């Protein structure tokens, strides 16, 4: 009441008594008034008695409207009527579109790269359940939200799409998606704020939500095609029932000539209140506001519904959230949002994968623990192979590259690998001679040399000599993508005399040729 009126208590009408007796303005006694020389003003001693400055106030009880949520869905339809962006366009697969509109996850696939500026569209017509309507609302408010992620491989060009609300062929909301130039891996949220639309148009199937995203090339920005993941779509439709909201007091103050100087709405004469329009001058519930037999209300502490002094039931517009810092839920325009955690990567205990070579274990006690245990297990990609074969006869192919397919190991994914090989050999001369065996590792997939030529064994004998053993070849190798096949190659080079035996790359009674690899980092 402060700031409204001339320090008077309001005059009660409508059956509600003020907290103290009303005091009307006291007129200036004519015998004490003298003409002040100003139009419409008289002076009473030292006080100015301008009729336009005198006020009287009255308070009446009113009831506002009760907002409620209407049961609503979005059904996928042909988006062609909503193609408004220049250049090329395509409709999202209707099955994928409906999955998204049902709050699932769907993919806007990248264009094949031949269309400049291509956008892909989905559209969903808003359907409401007439049985969920109360009273006869003339309009409803529609709001929506959605989450998008640029899966790449290109950056989006400037503002890269639109999340819009249509009524027939007229766009009601056309909110562009940003931030500009969203990179691969970037995420964004589209929001359609609460927007009033005629209920008759909703029932007629005219109100449509549209989403389009840039999936093709854009020569102006010099970016290529990109794929999008879309999820977390939420549609909210609300209506209001006049006269079924909260009771409140409206105090109106007027000058002596009837001009309104101020209007104040309060719950109890002092607590400010912003009523939900429209308001009606009633002091009890209207028909349909409350059942003849009031329902039983739970007394549980978590029950947010309360019964008002007028007999009506009241529920908060938004859920009451626990203020605990452990509570990550929050209210959004689309409703209550509970954060979701997507766990991806290598399954616990796995030793191969396309993402990381470490298994992460996270454990915590039930409830909201202050401490969590986070552990990691190294599970690197690795491999080991014995070449279960006889030695290759290098003497028969002196001077030629002799591959050993039985030594093949496959590097399954991108990363940096430690690769080594034990090469078993036999080299001998019956009458004296000289020569040597060399070996190297090669990436057969990329046709790339991993190591330079390594001497496996050498002989320079004046008479009979026979030797055998194992030599080690080791290297680090970086691959950009997998899989890659790595193979051992051998060669015997004769430098003089006569050699009777030159063999390597197999298994004998004294040892074996082995291949090993171990991924050491991504």
């Amino acid at each position: 009441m402060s700031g409204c009126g001339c320090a008077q208590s309001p005059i009660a009408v409508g059956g509600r008594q003020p907290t103290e007796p009303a005091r009307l303005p006291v007129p200036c006694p004519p015998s004490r008034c003298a003409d002040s020389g100003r139009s419409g003003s008289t002076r009473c001693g030292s006080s100015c008695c301008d009729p336009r400055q005198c006020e009287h106030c009255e308070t009446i009880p009113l009831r506002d409207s009760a907002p409620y949520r209407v049961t609503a869905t979005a059904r996928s339809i042909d988006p062609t009527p909503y193609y408004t962006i220049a250049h090329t366009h395509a409709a999202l697969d209707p099955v994928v579109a409906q999955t998204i509109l049902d709050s699932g996850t769907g993919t806007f696939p990248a264009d094949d790269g031949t269309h400049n500026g291509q956008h892909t569209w989905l559209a969903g017509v808003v359907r409401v359940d007439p049985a969920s309507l109360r009273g006869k609302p003339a309009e409803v408010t529609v709001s929506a939200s959605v989450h998008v992620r640029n899966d790449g491989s290109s950056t989006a060009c400037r503002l890269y799409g639109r999340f819009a609300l249509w009524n027939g062929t007229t766009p009601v909301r056309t909110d562009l998606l940003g931030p500009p130039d969203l990179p691969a891996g970037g995420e964004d949220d589209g929001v359609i704020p609460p927007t009033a639309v005629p209920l008759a148009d909703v029932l007629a199937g005219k109100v449509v939500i549209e989403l389009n995203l840039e999936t093709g090339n854009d020569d102006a920005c010099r970016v290529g095609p990109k794929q999008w993941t879309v999820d977390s779509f939420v549609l909210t439709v609300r209506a209001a029932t006049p006269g079924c909201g909260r009771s409140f007091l409206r105090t109106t103050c007027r000058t002596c000539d009837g001009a309104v100087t101020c209007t104040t709405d309060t719950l109890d004469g002092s607590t400010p209140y912003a009523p939900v329009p429209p308001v009606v001058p009633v002091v009890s519930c209207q028909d349909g506001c409350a059942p003849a037999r009031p329902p039983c209300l739970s007394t549980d502490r978590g029950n947010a519904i309360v019964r008002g002094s007028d007999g009506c039931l009241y529920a908060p517009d938004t859920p009451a959230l626990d203020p605990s810092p452990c509570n990550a839920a929050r209210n959004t325009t689309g409703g209550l949002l509970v954060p979701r955690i997507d766990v991806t990567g290598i399954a616990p205990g796995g030793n191969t994968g396309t993402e990381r070579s470490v298994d992460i274990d996270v454990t915590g006690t039930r409830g909201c623990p202050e401490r969590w245990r986070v552990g990691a297990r190294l599970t690197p990609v690795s491999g080991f192979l014995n070449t279960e074969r006889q030695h290759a006869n290098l003497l028969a192919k002196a001077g030629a590259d002799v591959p050993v397919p039985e030594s093949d190991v496959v590097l399954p994914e991108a990363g940096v690998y430690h690769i080594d090989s034990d090469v078993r050999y036999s080299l001998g001369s019956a009458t004296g001679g000289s020569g040597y065996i060399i070996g190297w590792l090669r990436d057969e997939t990329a046709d790339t040399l991993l190591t330079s030529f390594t001497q496996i064994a050498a002989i320079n004998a004046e008479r009979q000599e026979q030797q055998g053993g194992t030599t080690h070849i080791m290297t680090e190798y970086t691959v950009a993508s997998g899989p890659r096949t790595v193979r051992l190659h051998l060669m015997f080079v004769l430098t003089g005399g006569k050699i009777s035996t030159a063999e390597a790359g197999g298994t004998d009674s004294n040892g074996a040729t082995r291949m090993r690899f171990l991924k050491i980092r991504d």
Side-chain angles (χ1 to χ4, degrees), residues 309-335:
S309 58
D310 51 15
C312 289
L313 303 181
Y314 295 100
D317 292 338
T318 56
L321 299 183
D322 190 327
S324 168
C326 291
N327 186 9
R330 58 189 177 90
N331 289 313
T332 69
T333 56

Side-chain angles (χ1 to χ4, degrees), residues 8-365:
Q8 306 171 71
S9 296
I11 301 173
V13 297
R16 185 179 296 275
Q17 294 298 321
T19 56
E20 62 178 287
R23 291 177 293 166
L24 296 176
V26 179
C28 300
S31 60
R32 296 181 55 194
C33 293
D35 186 4
S36 64
R38 293 177 293 174
S39 175
S41 177
T42 56
R43 182 175 299 278
C44 304
S46 61
S47 299
C48 176
C49 297
D50 188 340
R52 293 169 300 179
Q53 295 181 355
C54 296
E55 292 180 321
H56 69 279
C57 304
E58 62 181 8
T59 298
I60 60 174
L62 298 173
R63 187 183 298 283
D64 65 0
S65 298
Y68 61 93
R69 190 161 181 167
V70 179
T71 303
T73 58
R75 307 305 300 171
S76 175
I77 60 171
D78 178 11
T80 301
Y82 313 103
Y83 291 162
T84 57
I85 298 179
H87 305 303
T88 55
H89 32 64
L92 184 65
D93 180 280
V95 175
V96 178
Q98 190 59 57
T99 299
I100 293 172
L101 294 173
D102 290 338
S103 301
T105 299
T107 299
F108 277 51
D111 180 51
D112 60 10
T114 61
H115 299 99
N116 176 32
Q118 171 146 319
H119 281 238
T120 299
W121 260 260
L122 73 73
V125 60
V126 177
R127 303 289 191 190
V128 300
D129 180 6
S132 66
L133 295 169
R134 299 200 291 268
K136 298 179 180 179
E139 65 180 22
V140 294
T141 60
V142 177
S143 60
S145 60
V146 72
H147 174 261
V148 300
R149 182 179 72 243
N150 181 1
D151 295 332
S153 58
S154 301
T155 296
C157 178
R158 301 176 185 144
L159 297 178
Y160 48 82
R162 185 178 62 194
F163 195 38
L165 182 68
W166 292 74
N167 189 348
T169 58
T170 302
V172 182
R173 297 282 315 191
T174 54
D175 297 283
L176 297 178
L177 293 173
D181 305 322
L182 189 71
E187 302 182 44
D188 190 24
D189 293 300
V191 175
I192 297 176
T195 305
V197 293
L199 175 60
D201 292 343
V202 177
L203 296 176
K206 295 181 178 180
V207 178
V208 173
I209 289 175
E210 166 242 324
L211 171 66
N212 73 75
L213 295 168
E214 175 191 271
T215 53
N217 286 323
D218 193 297
D219 291 344
C221 296
R222 300 181 181 275
V223 297
K226 57 208 66 72
Q227 174 180 292
W228 299 84
T229 294
V230 180
D231 59 14
S232 303
F233 173 80
V234 176
L235 170 66
T236 303
V237 178
R238 292 184 178 273
T241 305
C244 288
R246 301 193 68 173
S247 294
F248 68 99
L249 302 178
R250 173 165 290 176
T251 299
T252 304
C253 292
R254 295 178 173 86
T255 63
C256 295
D257 56 10
V260 175
T261 58
C262 63
T263 300
T264 302
D265 294 330
T266 62
L267 286 176
D268 52 12
S270 61
T271 305
Y273 180 64
V276 178
V279 299
V280 293
V282 292
V283 295
S284 61
C285 290
Q286 297 291 294
D287 292 340
C289 178
R293 184 176 181 179
C296 176
L297 294 181
S298 170
T299 58
D300 292 345
R301 292 180 58 190
N303 185 17
I305 299 178
V306 296
R307 187 190 305 281
S309 58
D310 51 15
C312 289
L313 303 181
Y314 295 100
D317 292 338
T318 56
L321 299 183
D322 190 327
S324 168
C326 291
N327 186 9
R330 58 189 177 90
N331 289 313
T332 69
T333 56
L336 184 64
L337 176 65
V338 179
R340 181 188 66 197
I341 299 177
D342 292 329
V343 180
T344 60
I346 302 172
N351 59 4
T352 61
T354 59
E355 297 190 12
R356 290 292 181 268
S357 300
V358 175
D359 289 343
I360 303 297
D361 298 319
V362 180
T363 59
T365 58

